[in-house]
Amino acid sequence: MSALSKLITIEMKLFLREPVSLFFVFALPIGLMLVFGLPQRAGTAADTGQHAEQTFLPSLALALTIGMLALFTLPMALGIYRERQVLRRLATTPVQPALLLVAQVVVNLVMGVLGAVVTAVAVRFLLDQPAPANVPGFVLAFLLGVACLFAVGLLIAALAPSARAAQSIGPALFFPLLFLAGAWLPRDRMPTAVAFIADYSPLGATVDTLGAAWAGANPELPQLIALAVTAVVGSVAATRFFRWE
């Protein structure tokens, strides 16, 4: 077994021992859909516009899963490792510290995919909604959303001076992004300038592209480009500013 596979196994075991992380990945998205989706299914919801779209809640739930992994779990874990000098100690061994970063990203990616599968199954059987109709577009939107949000999370980990700071910066960025995604106020009710920014924000573009593919349409190319550009810029900046100790 290679050093990387051993690290991935260890990190996966540590992740599975964290009930809060498991709650974010599996329970919270399904709970969100049940609380808001059942009234909508029964025809009692009065929302119109974005919130009335059948694919909005499932897409928001998936984006919520990815966003929490990227902006909560990933930066905090790397901040703790830096504070405890785990990365510095790894530098003195044959195992490169960069492998730990790769292992963290792989574990969070795997959990994100599992969360997406569970959410899609729950949508199908609990809310009686169809599975994603445009599967290639859905996969592309999902992967670009993951790449974009994980790049932002790694940038937080690179810039945060401590684990506590990372724990504060992540939520401080996550909730405004969640607002821009339309979680509380539909984007069709936002001011024009705010709605334009929201359309190309990490969570907003992720929700829209996932929703479009779920409904069978093609995701909007400008939003896919926005996700890809954010992923590249965030990754380059994270690599440039990341501190091992």
Side-chain angles (χ1 to χ4, degrees):
M1 184 179 289
S2 66
L4 178 59
S5 59
K6 289 180 180 179
L7 283 174
I8 292 174
T9 301
I10 293 171
E11 291 299 322
M12 182 64 75
K13 290 179 180 179
L14 292 174
F15 189 100
L16 294 175
R17 291 175 184 172
E18 283 291 335
V20 175
S21 298
L22 295 175
F23 172 79
F24 284 157
V25 174
F26 298 109
L28 185 61
I30 295 175
L32 174 73
M33 287 189 299
L34 290 178
V35 169
F36 296 101
L38 289 177
Q40 187 182 62
R41 180 185 172 191
T44 60
D47 288 320
T48 58
Q50 184 188 23
H51 283 191
E53 295 172 4
Q54 190 180 34
T55 59
F56 172 70
L57 274 178
S59 303
L60 181 65
L62 286 183
L64 190 71
T65 300
I66 302 169
M68 285 188 164
L69 285 170
L71 304 182
F72 285 66
T73 307
L74 186 59
M76 188 169 62
L78 295 178
I80 290 173
Y81 285 152
R82 186 190 293 123
E83 276 190 353
R84 296 178 179 176
Q85 298 187 340
V86 173
L87 300 178
R88 182 181 180 184
R89 291 169 188 166
L90 279 177
T92 64
T93 71
V95 179
Q96 294 296 319
L99 290 181
L100 186 57
L101 301 186
V102 175
Q104 271 286 327
V105 171
V106 169
V107 167
N108 281 277
L109 176 60
V110 169
M111 297 310 296
V113 171
L114 289 176
V117 171
V118 170
T119 300
V121 171
V123 168
R124 179 66 184 90
F125 291 102
L126 296 181
L127 298 181
D128 196 27
Q129 292 188 12
N134 180 358
V135 176
F138 181 83
V139 172
L140 177 62
F142 180 80
L143 291 178
L144 284 177
V146 168
C148 171
L149 288 162
F150 274 36
V152 175
L154 288 172
L155 182 58
I156 293 173
L159 297 176
S162 65
R164 180 172 295 182
Q167 194 174 9
S168 301
I169 295 171
L173 182 61
F174 175 77
F175 288 107
L177 289 177
L178 194 60
F179 169 79
L180 292 175
W184 296 288
L185 180 69
R187 260 175 278 160
D188 45 284
R189 298 182 189 174
M190 294 180 182
T192 303
V194 176
F196 178 81
I197 295 172
D199 286 342
Y200 299 98
S201 65
L203 278 179
T206 300
V207 169
D208 283 356
T209 53
L210 287 174
W214 207 310
N218 291 320
E220 291 290 335
L221 182 59
Q223 290 182 310
L224 293 176
I225 292 174
L227 291 174
V229 169
T230 304
V232 172
V233 173
S235 299
V236 171
T239 303
R240 170 66 179 82
F241 295 110
F242 194 86
R243 296 173 293 106
W244 298 107
E245 55 183 278

